[in-house]
Structure formats: C-alpha cells, structure tokens
Amino acid sequence: MTLPQSSPGERRTASTILPVAAPEPRRRSATSAEPIRALGQGDPLSGVHLRAVSPTDGDRIQALVRSLSIESRRARFFAPVRELSRTQLERMTELAFPGTVGIVAETADARREMLAIAQYAADEDGPEFAVVVADAWHGRGVGRRLVGQLAALAGAAGFAVLRGFVLRSNAAMIGLARSLGFAVSADGDPALYRLVKPLGRARSG
C-alpha cells in the first residue's frame, strides 16, 4: 500500500523526498544504520526482507518510482511525477543528517527486488514520514510493517509523535493509518488530512 503524505521535512511538495537543507533536531535521532540493529538479520514478511537504505540503492529506487502507476505516484508525491532527479536520489540514499531514517523492503530471494521504501526526517516538530510501495504489493502488509518500524525507531529515538499527510481521497491509507493508531484530522490544505501517532515517549532537552 502506498502511503501518500508529503516528503519528510518538506510540506506538500512533489519535487524531493528528503529536505534540501536537513533539519537539525534537538537531539540526534536514529540514523540510517540503526534500522539494521532494530531489524536484526532481516524481518521476513511473506518473502520480504527489511533493511536500512544504502547509498547504492539509487538506481533501484528510481526503478521502483518509474514502475508505479499514475495513481500511486500522485498519492505519494501529490503529483504524477515520472522519476526522481539524481540529486533527489542522493538525498534519499545518503542519510548522513541527524534525524533521518530510511528502510527498504525487498524480496528475500536472490533477485532482491525492491518493493517499497519508507523514511522519516525530523525537524523541531518531530519526524515526518513518507512511504511508497510497489503496486503489485499493495494490501499485503508491507506498508503496515514499514510504518510500524518507523514508529518504533522514532519512539526509540525519543520522539513523542510521528507525523504525516495523506490525500483525503485515499480511503485505504486513511483506514490503515487509523488502524495503526494515527489520529486523522483536517489540515490547512483542503486536499489533505494530517496524521499524528503518539509514540508514548517524550524527548528531553
């Protein structure tokens, strides 16, 4: 399932996935290496393996984006973008900034086909997440597992909430968000709903 909120750290824009100027959270949150520790040796889900984003994933992420239906692209990026720029891919895969996390889902066989990618980027309001799943894997639990993993990592990093945005027309995502404990409320943009999940842990300092 595609979770169609705006890019982390960039409210409601379709141009990038991670911010041009990385936000500086009050404390360092989980880095791209930490999902590996959280997932151990992999988290199989009907033949699916979860791992941290790698700097070598750019071409495979691009292939995933190009394979998406127009509806899925619009849901994720709020526009039917065809592909990502090289700069966008670098920002998406080289998570060197504090407060950024990226996880990919891929097939557990030798092909390692990329099925989905989920990320969050944090600013002073906390982490904002985004995730996209290949069309053929919608409704098979991949998006649910990725968002759950992001929430676990954000909570372990000391954040109080995980935030996102969804098109009001995306009933499937709204239902999934509610089932995962997100509160769904109106946003200033009439086309969007705001998603907020309490993580039960407050940051200090």
Side-chain angles (χ1 to χ4, degrees):
M1 176 170 293
T2 303
L3 283 79
Q5 53 288 327
S6 59
S7 305
E10 283 187 281
R11 285 291 306 278
R12 312 176 196 116
T13 64
S15 59
T16 62
I17 290 185
L18 287 178
V20 175
E24 189 69 28
R26 287 167 291 180
R27 277 190 189 175
R28 186 176 182 84
S29 75
T31 66
S32 60
E34 283 171 330
I36 296 177
R37 294 199 293 273
L39 293 171
Q41 295 302 310
D43 190 13
L45 174 69
S46 299
V48 176
H49 176 85
L50 305 187
R51 62 169 174 82
V53 170
S54 165
T56 63
D57 282 330
D59 289 343
R60 299 172 71 227
I61 292 172
Q62 186 76 286
L64 172 62
V65 172
R66 288 171 176 166
S67 75
L68 296 173
S69 65
I70 292 176
E71 291 78 12
S72 290
R73 294 176 196 166
R74 191 186 307 278
R76 167 58 182 87
F77 303 106
F78 298 165
V81 299
R82 296 182 61 85
E83 62 181 20
L84 305 176
S85 72
R86 180 55 53 184
T87 299
Q88 290 164 359
L89 289 170
E90 288 174 355
R91 294 183 188 125
M92 195 171 184
T93 57
E94 298 179 7
L95 304 182
F97 301 113
T100 58
V101 164
I103 309 172
V104 299
E106 60 188 10
T107 57
D109 58 21
R111 295 178 301 129
R112 296 296 188 189
E113 178 187 357
M114 186 170 291
L115 308 175
I117 180 167
Q119 298 170 279
Y120 74 62
D123 59 18
E124 63 275 6
D125 295 321
E128 182 181 328
F129 79 98
V131 57
V132 65
V133 179
D135 289 76
W137 285 79
H138 287 189
R140 298 173 68 174
V142 177
R144 174 181 295 274
R145 184 64 60 86
L146 287 170
V147 176
Q149 189 66 49
L150 287 182
L153 290 167
F159 290 108
V161 298
L162 183 65
R163 304 173 297 125
F165 297 89
V166 59
L167 291 172
R168 292 191 177 211
S169 60
N170 195 323
M173 175 54 209
I174 294 168
L176 174 60
R178 284 181 170 141
S179 74
L180 289 172
F182 284 87
V184 180
S185 61
D187 185 61
D189 187 328
L192 302 178
Y193 281 126
R194 179 188 300 267
L195 309 176
V196 178
K197 177 180 175 63
L199 300 177
R201 193 169 174 181
R203 294 165 67 88
S204 61

